[in-house]
Amino acid sequence: MFKKEILPRINALWRDPLLIFLTGFMSLISVSFSVFDGSGKWQDRCARTWSRLAFWITRVKLTAHGLEHLEPGKGYVFVSNHISIFDIWSFLAYIPFQFRFVAKVSLFRIPFLGWHMKRAGYIPVDNRNPRKVLRSYEKAAEKIRKGVSIIIYPEGGRTDDGNIAEFKRGAFMLPSHAKAPIVPVTIIGSHLRLKRGSILIHPGPMEMIIHEAIQWETYRHWSREELTYKIREIIISAYRLEP
């Protein structure tokens, strides 16, 4: 009982401030590097260092499967379920080439983190303005053509119980617009490490399953509804509530 209920609260007294400090420190370094590096490579390295240190501090162990399905230097659209900040850290720490996230525009207003995201070239999306969404996707498509991958979370929000929510069809405008291969990704167990609305981190295992890419030539004739359904089914097929 003590270990399950009290120990996470005690550990939060030092883990949470350390993670907050780490986020601010690495964001400032990233922003500083961006003055001299317009390619985003140094910002990418800062983000990866931040994520690997976050895993080390929290004692969360991620096992990644399917990296052999990826071709270095090729631009993909990764589509993943999203149930915790550990999902973001998982991509940054374990996928070994450049990518950018598509994120809500509100995240770019957060001090330190938002500064890093903007300078690193992450893609802000304001769902209240369809024209801005289209412009954001055009920028993302250009990055993909240059070999930089994009990550999207099509659920539109995280669930409290760890189950995968319905996918938003609008998220699939991006891969169709870019004519890019789609890589479904299943992340398992991150909601057990940090529950929605909580600050208590629970050390333990996680899994990331990278499925085979679906090429543009395969899905180009699918409707957006069909594409949304099939990608979600692939992700769900490998999903479990516990790793």
Side-chain angles (χ1 to χ4, degrees), residues 80-87 153 155 157-165 187-192 194-196 239-241:
S80 173
N81 60 310
H82 184 30
I83 44 184
S84 169
I85 190 175
F86 277 99
D87 306 333
Y153 298 113
E155 290 172 272
R158 290 173 286 170
T159 59
D160 294 316
D161 56 6
N163 288 307
I164 297 176
I187 295 180
I188 302 169
S190 61
H191 69 292
L192 299 175
L194 181 62
K195 294 182 178 181
R196 182 183 180 187
Y239 186 69
R240 308 183 307 277
L241 285 175

PDB file of all heavy atoms in Angstrom, residues 80-87 153 155 157-165 187-192 194-196 239-241:
ATOM      1  N   SER A  80      -0.163   8.369 -34.391  1.00  0.00           N
ATOM      2  CA  SER A  80      -0.057   7.633 -33.131  1.00  0.00           C
ATOM      3  C   SER A  80      -1.216   7.949 -32.204  1.00  0.00           C
ATOM      4  O   SER A  80      -1.793   9.042 -32.251  1.00  0.00           O
ATOM      5  CB  SER A  80       1.259   7.996 -32.435  1.00  0.00           C
ATOM      6  OG  SER A  80       1.344   7.434 -31.143  1.00  0.00           O
ATOM      7  N   ASN A  81      -1.555   6.970 -31.352  1.00  0.00           N
ATOM      8  CA  ASN A  81      -2.441   7.274 -30.229  1.00  0.00           C
ATOM      9  C   ASN A  81      -1.684   8.137 -29.224  1.00  0.00           C
ATOM     10  O   ASN A  81      -0.453   8.166 -29.206  1.00  0.00           O
ATOM     11  CB  ASN A  81      -2.953   5.984 -29.573  1.00  0.00           C
ATOM     12  CG  ASN A  81      -1.836   5.102 -29.029  1.00  0.00           C
ATOM     13  OD1 ASN A  81      -0.863   4.802 -29.713  1.00  0.00           O
ATOM     14  ND2 ASN A  81      -1.980   4.669 -27.785  1.00  0.00           N
ATOM     15  N   HIS A  82      -2.431   8.845 -28.396  1.00  0.00           N
ATOM     16  CA  HIS A  82      -1.789   9.823 -27.507  1.00  0.00           C
ATOM     17  C   HIS A  82      -2.507   9.837 -26.168  1.00  0.00           C
ATOM     18  O   HIS A  82      -3.659  10.281 -26.077  1.00  0.00           O
ATOM     19  CB  HIS A  82      -1.850  11.208 -28.162  1.00  0.00           C
ATOM     20  CG  HIS A  82      -1.135  12.275 -27.396  1.00  0.00           C
ATOM     21  ND1 HIS A  82      -0.035  12.031 -26.604  1.00  0.00           N
ATOM     22  CD2 HIS A  82      -1.360  13.614 -27.318  1.00  0.00           C
ATOM     23  CE1 HIS A  82       0.385  13.172 -26.073  1.00  0.00           C
ATOM     24  NE2 HIS A  82      -0.413  14.143 -26.488  1.00  0.00           N
ATOM     25  N   ILE A  83      -1.825   9.348 -25.128  1.00  0.00           N
ATOM     26  CA  ILE A  83      -2.459   9.269 -23.814  1.00  0.00           C
ATOM     27  C   ILE A  83      -1.612   9.853 -22.688  1.00  0.00           C
ATOM     28  O   ILE A  83      -2.035   9.865 -21.537  1.00  0.00           O
ATOM     29  CB  ILE A  83      -2.825   7.798 -23.472  1.00  0.00           C
ATOM     30  CG1 ILE A  83      -1.684   6.856 -23.827  1.00  0.00           C
ATOM     31  CG2 ILE A  83      -4.092   7.380 -24.189  1.00  0.00           C
ATOM     32  CD1 ILE A  83      -1.993   5.382 -23.610  1.00  0.00           C
ATOM     33  N   SER A  84      -0.417  10.376 -23.020  1.00  0.00           N
ATOM     34  CA  SER A  84       0.452  10.932 -21.981  1.00  0.00           C
ATOM     35  C   SER A  84       1.588  11.695 -22.641  1.00  0.00           C
ATOM     36  O   SER A  84       1.906  11.478 -23.818  1.00  0.00           O
ATOM     37  CB  SER A  84       1.013   9.803 -21.105  1.00  0.00           C
ATOM     38  OG  SER A  84       2.042  10.279 -20.258  1.00  0.00           O
ATOM     39  N   ILE A  85       2.240  12.577 -21.876  1.00  0.00           N
ATOM     40  CA  ILE A  85       3.424  13.268 -22.391  1.00  0.00           C
ATOM     41  C   ILE A  85       4.542  12.277 -22.716  1.00  0.00           C
ATOM     42  O   ILE A  85       5.427  12.551 -23.527  1.00  0.00           O
ATOM     43  CB  ILE A  85       3.929  14.331 -21.393  1.00  0.00           C
ATOM     44  CG1 ILE A  85       4.999  15.207 -22.063  1.00  0.00           C
ATOM     45  CG2 ILE A  85       4.442  13.678 -20.117  1.00  0.00           C
ATOM     46  CD1 ILE A  85       5.471  16.364 -21.210  1.00  0.00           C
ATOM     47  N   PHE A  86       4.491  11.089 -22.105  1.00  0.00           N
ATOM     48  CA  PHE A  86       5.499  10.080 -22.421  1.00  0.00           C
ATOM     49  C   PHE A  86       5.434   9.656 -23.882  1.00  0.00           C
ATOM     50  O   PHE A  86       6.433   9.165 -24.430  1.00  0.00           O
ATOM     51  CB  PHE A  86       5.331   8.856 -21.509  1.00  0.00           C
ATOM     52  CG  PHE A  86       5.979   9.026 -20.172  1.00  0.00           C
ATOM     53  CD1 PHE A  86       5.224   9.392 -19.070  1.00  0.00           C
ATOM     54  CD2 PHE A  86       7.341   8.828 -19.999  1.00  0.00           C
ATOM     55  CE1 PHE A  86       5.806   9.562 -17.826  1.00  0.00           C
ATOM     56  CE2 PHE A  86       7.933   9.000 -18.765  1.00  0.00           C
ATOM     57  CZ  PHE A  86       7.171   9.361 -17.668  1.00  0.00           C
ATOM     58  N   ASP A  87       4.301   9.845 -24.550  1.00  0.00           N
ATOM     59  CA  ASP A  87       4.207   9.536 -25.975  1.00  0.00           C
ATOM     60  C   ASP A  87       5.157  10.433 -26.768  1.00  0.00           C
ATOM     61  O   ASP A  87       5.831   9.983 -27.698  1.00  0.00           O
ATOM     62  CB  ASP A  87       2.777   9.744 -26.476  1.00  0.00           C
ATOM     63  CG  ASP A  87       1.752   8.970 -25.654  1.00  0.00           C
ATOM     64  OD1 ASP A  87       2.128   7.937 -25.073  1.00  0.00           O
ATOM     65  OD2 ASP A  87       0.589   9.409 -25.592  1.00  0.00           O
ATOM     66  N   TYR A 153      -1.275  13.379 -33.850  1.00  0.00           N
ATOM     67  CA  TYR A 153      -2.093  12.638 -32.892  1.00  0.00           C
ATOM     68  C   TYR A 153      -3.555  12.923 -33.226  1.00  0.00           C
ATOM     69  O   TYR A 153      -4.096  13.959 -32.843  1.00  0.00           O
ATOM     70  CB  TYR A 153      -1.777  13.071 -31.464  1.00  0.00           C
ATOM     71  CG  TYR A 153      -0.355  12.801 -31.026  1.00  0.00           C
ATOM     72  CD1 TYR A 153       0.525  13.858 -30.777  1.00  0.00           C
ATOM     73  CD2 TYR A 153       0.098  11.501 -30.850  1.00  0.00           C
ATOM     74  CE1 TYR A 153       1.824  13.616 -30.361  1.00  0.00           C
ATOM     75  CE2 TYR A 153       1.399  11.249 -30.447  1.00  0.00           C
ATOM     76  CZ  TYR A 153       2.255  12.316 -30.196  1.00  0.00           C
ATOM     77  OH  TYR A 153       3.550  12.068 -29.794  1.00  0.00           O
ATOM     78  N   GLU A 155      -6.458  11.828 -32.276  1.00  0.00           N
ATOM     79  CA  GLU A 155      -7.572  11.681 -31.345  1.00  0.00           C
ATOM     80  C   GLU A 155      -8.171  13.031 -30.942  1.00  0.00           C
ATOM     81  O   GLU A 155      -9.332  13.100 -30.568  1.00  0.00           O
ATOM     82  CB  GLU A 155      -7.119  10.921 -30.094  1.00  0.00           C
ATOM     83  CG  GLU A 155      -6.822   9.454 -30.357  1.00  0.00           C
ATOM     84  CD  GLU A 155      -6.204   8.769 -29.164  1.00  0.00           C
ATOM     85  OE1 GLU A 155      -4.962   8.805 -29.046  1.00  0.00           O
ATOM     86  OE2 GLU A 155      -6.945   8.197 -28.350  1.00  0.00           O
ATOM     87  N   GLY A 157      -7.549  14.655 -28.308  1.00  0.00           N
ATOM     88  CA  GLY A 157      -7.567  14.779 -26.857  1.00  0.00           C
ATOM     89  C   GLY A 157      -7.279  13.439 -26.213  1.00  0.00           C
ATOM     90  O   GLY A 157      -7.416  12.394 -26.856  1.00  0.00           O
ATOM     91  N   ARG A 158      -6.867  13.470 -24.964  1.00  0.00           N
ATOM     92  CA  ARG A 158      -6.509  12.234 -24.268  1.00  0.00           C
ATOM     93  C   ARG A 158      -7.680  11.722 -23.427  1.00  0.00           C
ATOM     94  O   ARG A 158      -8.440  12.500 -22.866  1.00  0.00           O
ATOM     95  CB  ARG A 158      -5.286  12.478 -23.379  1.00  0.00           C
ATOM     96  CG  ARG A 158      -4.007  12.706 -24.158  1.00  0.00           C
ATOM     97  CD  ARG A 158      -2.864  13.117 -23.252  1.00  0.00           C
ATOM     98  NE  ARG A 158      -3.021  14.498 -22.795  1.00  0.00           N
ATOM     99  CZ  ARG A 158      -2.277  15.051 -21.854  1.00  0.00           C
ATOM    100  NH1 ARG A 158      -1.345  14.355 -21.249  1.00  0.00           N
ATOM    101  NH2 ARG A 158      -2.473  16.304 -21.498  1.00  0.00           N
ATOM    102  N   THR A 159      -7.797  10.405 -23.326  1.00  0.00           N
ATOM    103  CA  THR A 159      -8.848   9.791 -22.517  1.00  0.00           C
ATOM    104  C   THR A 159      -8.354   9.571 -21.100  1.00  0.00           C
ATOM    105  O   THR A 159      -7.152   9.510 -20.839  1.00  0.00           O
ATOM    106  CB  THR A 159      -9.287   8.440 -23.121  1.00  0.00           C
ATOM    107  OG1 THR A 159      -8.151   7.570 -23.186  1.00  0.00           O
ATOM    108  CG2 THR A 159      -9.829   8.637 -24.527  1.00  0.00           C
ATOM    109  N   ASP A 160      -9.281   9.439 -20.169  1.00  0.00           N
ATOM    110  CA  ASP A 160      -8.915   9.223 -18.766  1.00  0.00           C
ATOM    111  C   ASP A 160      -8.572   7.766 -18.461  1.00  0.00           C
ATOM    112  O   ASP A 160      -7.845   7.485 -17.510  1.00  0.00           O
ATOM    113  CB  ASP A 160     -10.069   9.666 -17.851  1.00  0.00           C
ATOM    114  CG  ASP A 160     -10.298  11.169 -17.918  1.00  0.00           C
ATOM    115  OD1 ASP A 160      -9.310  11.917 -17.895  1.00  0.00           O
ATOM    116  OD2 ASP A 160     -11.462  11.589 -17.995  1.00  0.00           O
ATOM    117  N   ASP A 161      -9.120   6.840 -19.240  1.00  0.00           N
ATOM    118  CA  ASP A 161      -8.956   5.420 -18.926  1.00  0.00           C
ATOM    119  C   ASP A 161      -7.902   4.716 -19.772  1.00  0.00           C
ATOM    120  O   ASP A 161      -7.694   3.508 -19.638  1.00  0.00           O
ATOM    121  CB  ASP A 161     -10.294   4.692 -19.081  1.00  0.00           C
ATOM    122  CG  ASP A 161     -10.901   4.860 -20.479  1.00  0.00           C
ATOM    123  OD1 ASP A 161     -10.227   5.442 -21.354  1.00  0.00           O
ATOM    124  OD2 ASP A 161     -12.041   4.413 -20.672  1.00  0.00           O
ATOM    125  N   GLY A 162      -7.237   5.443 -20.662  1.00  0.00           N
ATOM    126  CA  GLY A 162      -6.215   4.835 -21.491  1.00  0.00           C
ATOM    127  C   GLY A 162      -6.720   4.247 -22.786  1.00  0.00           C
ATOM    128  O   GLY A 162      -5.924   3.854 -23.644  1.00  0.00           O
ATOM    129  N   ASN A 163      -8.032   4.158 -22.960  1.00  0.00           N
ATOM    130  CA  ASN A 163      -8.580   3.633 -24.206  1.00  0.00           C
ATOM    131  C   ASN A 163      -8.396   4.649 -25.342  1.00  0.00           C
ATOM    132  O   ASN A 163      -8.333   5.855 -25.109  1.00  0.00           O
ATOM    133  CB  ASN A 163     -10.059   3.293 -24.051  1.00  0.00           C
ATOM    134  CG  ASN A 163     -10.266   2.048 -23.205  1.00  0.00           C
ATOM    135  OD1 ASN A 163      -9.690   1.002 -23.478  1.00  0.00           O
ATOM    136  ND2 ASN A 163     -11.081   2.162 -22.152  1.00  0.00           N
ATOM    137  N   ILE A 164      -8.314   4.124 -26.557  1.00  0.00           N
ATOM    138  CA  ILE A 164      -8.084   4.980 -27.720  1.00  0.00           C
ATOM    139  C   ILE A 164      -9.401   5.601 -28.173  1.00  0.00           C
ATOM    140  O   ILE A 164     -10.381   4.906 -28.424  1.00  0.00           O
ATOM    141  CB  ILE A 164      -7.445   4.174 -28.862  1.00  0.00           C
ATOM    142  CG1 ILE A 164      -6.072   3.653 -28.413  1.00  0.00           C
ATOM    143  CG2 ILE A 164      -7.303   5.018 -30.115  1.00  0.00           C
ATOM    144  CD1 ILE A 164      -5.394   2.756 -29.424  1.00  0.00           C
ATOM    145  N   ALA A 165      -9.422   6.919 -28.276  1.00  0.00           N
ATOM    146  CA  ALA A 165     -10.630   7.633 -28.679  1.00  0.00           C
ATOM    147  C   ALA A 165     -10.793   7.574 -30.202  1.00  0.00           C
ATOM    148  O   ALA A 165      -9.917   7.088 -30.923  1.00  0.00           O
ATOM    149  CB  ALA A 165     -10.555   9.082 -28.210  1.00  0.00           C
ATOM    150  N   ILE A 187       1.250   3.063 -29.046  1.00  0.00           N
ATOM    151  CA  ILE A 187       1.978   3.270 -27.787  1.00  0.00           C
ATOM    152  C   ILE A 187       1.161   2.671 -26.658  1.00  0.00           C
ATOM    153  O   ILE A 187      -0.026   2.952 -26.516  1.00  0.00           O
ATOM    154  CB  ILE A 187       2.257   4.761 -27.548  1.00  0.00           C
ATOM    155  CG1 ILE A 187       3.199   5.288 -28.644  1.00  0.00           C
ATOM    156  CG2 ILE A 187       2.876   4.979 -26.173  1.00  0.00           C
ATOM    157  CD1 ILE A 187       3.547   6.748 -28.522  1.00  0.00           C
ATOM    158  N   ILE A 188       1.818   1.853 -25.849  1.00  0.00           N
ATOM    159  CA  ILE A 188       1.142   1.084 -24.804  1.00  0.00           C
ATOM    160  C   ILE A 188       1.735   1.432 -23.439  1.00  0.00           C
ATOM    161  O   ILE A 188       2.954   1.432 -23.263  1.00  0.00           O
ATOM    162  CB  ILE A 188       1.306  -0.435 -25.059  1.00  0.00           C
ATOM    163  CG1 ILE A 188       0.747  -0.811 -26.432  1.00  0.00           C
ATOM    164  CG2 ILE A 188       0.636  -1.247 -23.957  1.00  0.00           C
ATOM    165  CD1 ILE A 188       1.099  -2.216 -26.867  1.00  0.00           C
ATOM    166  N   GLY A 189       0.869   1.732 -22.483  1.00  0.00           N
ATOM    167  CA  GLY A 189       1.292   1.870 -21.091  1.00  0.00           C
ATOM    168  C   GLY A 189       1.646   3.257 -20.618  1.00  0.00           C
ATOM    169  O   GLY A 189       1.922   3.445 -19.428  1.00  0.00           O
ATOM    170  N   SER A 190       1.642   4.258 -21.504  1.00  0.00           N
ATOM    171  CA  SER A 190       2.079   5.588 -21.059  1.00  0.00           C
ATOM    172  C   SER A 190       1.093   6.205 -20.072  1.00  0.00           C
ATOM    173  O   SER A 190       1.485   6.991 -19.202  1.00  0.00           O
ATOM    174  CB  SER A 190       2.290   6.508 -22.258  1.00  0.00           C
ATOM    175  OG  SER A 190       1.103   6.690 -22.988  1.00  0.00           O
ATOM    176  N   HIS A 191      -0.204   5.846 -20.173  1.00  0.00           N
ATOM    177  CA  HIS A 191      -1.185   6.398 -19.227  1.00  0.00           C
ATOM    178  C   HIS A 191      -0.979   5.841 -17.820  1.00  0.00           C
ATOM    179  O   HIS A 191      -1.406   6.450 -16.832  1.00  0.00           O
ATOM    180  CB  HIS A 191      -2.602   6.089 -19.691  1.00  0.00           C
ATOM    181  CG  HIS A 191      -2.976   4.653 -19.602  1.00  0.00           C
ATOM    182  ND1 HIS A 191      -2.400   3.691 -20.415  1.00  0.00           N
ATOM    183  CD2 HIS A 191      -3.846   3.976 -18.802  1.00  0.00           C
ATOM    184  CE1 HIS A 191      -2.912   2.506 -20.124  1.00  0.00           C
ATOM    185  NE2 HIS A 191      -3.788   2.655 -19.153  1.00  0.00           N
ATOM    186  N   LEU A 192      -0.304   4.681 -17.711  1.00  0.00           N
ATOM    187  CA  LEU A 192       0.013   4.116 -16.392  1.00  0.00           C
ATOM    188  C   LEU A 192       1.217   4.813 -15.757  1.00  0.00           C
ATOM    189  O   LEU A 192       1.346   4.827 -14.536  1.00  0.00           O
ATOM    190  CB  LEU A 192       0.295   2.619 -16.518  1.00  0.00           C
ATOM    191  CG  LEU A 192      -0.859   1.760 -17.060  1.00  0.00           C
ATOM    192  CD1 LEU A 192      -0.396   0.325 -17.241  1.00  0.00           C
ATOM    193  CD2 LEU A 192      -2.061   1.829 -16.123  1.00  0.00           C
ATOM    194  N   LEU A 194       1.948   8.119 -16.282  1.00  0.00           N
ATOM    195  CA  LEU A 194       1.490   9.442 -15.859  1.00  0.00           C
ATOM    196  C   LEU A 194       0.053   9.619 -16.330  1.00  0.00           C
ATOM    197  O   LEU A 194      -0.211   9.766 -17.523  1.00  0.00           O
ATOM    198  CB  LEU A 194       2.372  10.553 -16.450  1.00  0.00           C
ATOM    199  CG  LEU A 194       1.999  11.981 -16.047  1.00  0.00           C
ATOM    200  CD1 LEU A 194       2.137  12.173 -14.534  1.00  0.00           C
ATOM    201  CD2 LEU A 194       2.863  12.991 -16.786  1.00  0.00           C
ATOM    202  N   LYS A 195      -0.884   9.593 -15.380  1.00  0.00           N
ATOM    203  CA  LYS A 195      -2.293   9.701 -15.722  1.00  0.00           C
ATOM    204  C   LYS A 195      -2.664  11.143 -16.058  1.00  0.00           C
ATOM    205  O   LYS A 195      -2.051  12.091 -15.581  1.00  0.00           O
ATOM    206  CB  LYS A 195      -3.157   9.184 -14.577  1.00  0.00           C
ATOM    207  CG  LYS A 195      -2.994   7.697 -14.320  1.00  0.00           C
ATOM    208  CD  LYS A 195      -3.913   7.209 -13.209  1.00  0.00           C
ATOM    209  CE  LYS A 195      -3.763   5.707 -12.993  1.00  0.00           C
ATOM    210  NZ  LYS A 195      -4.660   5.209 -11.928  1.00  0.00           N
ATOM    211  N   ARG A 196      -3.693  11.275 -16.874  1.00  0.00           N
ATOM    212  CA  ARG A 196      -4.163  12.597 -17.274  1.00  0.00           C
ATOM    213  C   ARG A 196      -4.573  13.413 -16.054  1.00  0.00           C
ATOM    214  O   ARG A 196      -5.306  12.950 -15.193  1.00  0.00           O
ATOM    215  CB  ARG A 196      -5.351  12.444 -18.226  1.00  0.00           C
ATOM    216  CG  ARG A 196      -5.893  13.754 -18.749  1.00  0.00           C
ATOM    217  CD  ARG A 196      -7.105  13.504 -19.615  1.00  0.00           C
ATOM    218  NE  ARG A 196      -7.647  14.757 -20.136  1.00  0.00           N
ATOM    219  CZ  ARG A 196      -8.770  14.858 -20.818  1.00  0.00           C
ATOM    220  NH1 ARG A 196      -9.483  13.775 -21.078  1.00  0.00           N
ATOM    221  NH2 ARG A 196      -9.194  16.027 -21.245  1.00  0.00           N
ATOM    222  N   TYR A 239      -2.952  -2.779 -29.620  1.00  0.00           N
ATOM    223  CA  TYR A 239      -3.043  -2.044 -28.360  1.00  0.00           C
ATOM    224  C   TYR A 239      -3.483  -2.924 -27.190  1.00  0.00           C
ATOM    225  O   TYR A 239      -4.361  -3.785 -27.336  1.00  0.00           O
ATOM    226  CB  TYR A 239      -3.996  -0.867 -28.496  1.00  0.00           C
ATOM    227  CG  TYR A 239      -4.012   0.025 -27.264  1.00  0.00           C
ATOM    228  CD1 TYR A 239      -2.905   0.802 -26.954  1.00  0.00           C
ATOM    229  CD2 TYR A 239      -5.119   0.067 -26.429  1.00  0.00           C
ATOM    230  CE1 TYR A 239      -2.894   1.607 -25.834  1.00  0.00           C
ATOM    231  CE2 TYR A 239      -5.124   0.880 -25.305  1.00  0.00           C
ATOM    232  CZ  TYR A 239      -4.017   1.634 -25.006  1.00  0.00           C
ATOM    233  OH  TYR A 239      -4.000   2.416 -23.887  1.00  0.00           O
ATOM    234  N   ARG A 240      -2.861  -2.702 -26.051  1.00  0.00           N
ATOM    235  CA  ARG A 240      -3.273  -3.299 -24.782  1.00  0.00           C
ATOM    236  C   ARG A 240      -3.222  -2.203 -23.730  1.00  0.00           C
ATOM    237  O   ARG A 240      -2.469  -1.237 -23.852  1.00  0.00           O
ATOM    238  CB  ARG A 240      -2.322  -4.428 -24.364  1.00  0.00           C
ATOM    239  CG  ARG A 240      -2.087  -5.470 -25.431  1.00  0.00           C
ATOM    240  CD  ARG A 240      -1.179  -6.611 -24.926  1.00  0.00           C
ATOM    241  NE  ARG A 240       0.069  -6.151 -24.360  1.00  0.00           N
ATOM    242  CZ  ARG A 240       1.163  -5.841 -25.085  1.00  0.00           C
ATOM    243  NH1 ARG A 240       1.127  -5.952 -26.413  1.00  0.00           N
ATOM    244  NH2 ARG A 240       2.274  -5.443 -24.505  1.00  0.00           N
ATOM    245  N   LEU A 241      -4.002  -2.348 -22.681  1.00  0.00           N
ATOM    246  CA  LEU A 241      -3.980  -1.342 -21.616  1.00  0.00           C
ATOM    247  C   LEU A 241      -2.709  -1.419 -20.788  1.00  0.00           C
ATOM    248  O   LEU A 241      -2.286  -0.445 -20.192  1.00  0.00           O
ATOM    249  CB  LEU A 241      -5.207  -1.511 -20.710  1.00  0.00           C
ATOM    250  CG  LEU A 241      -6.536  -1.014 -21.292  1.00  0.00           C
ATOM    251  CD1 LEU A 241      -7.681  -1.347 -20.346  1.00  0.00           C
ATOM    252  CD2 LEU A 241      -6.500   0.481 -21.581  1.00  0.00           C
TER     253      LEU A 241
END
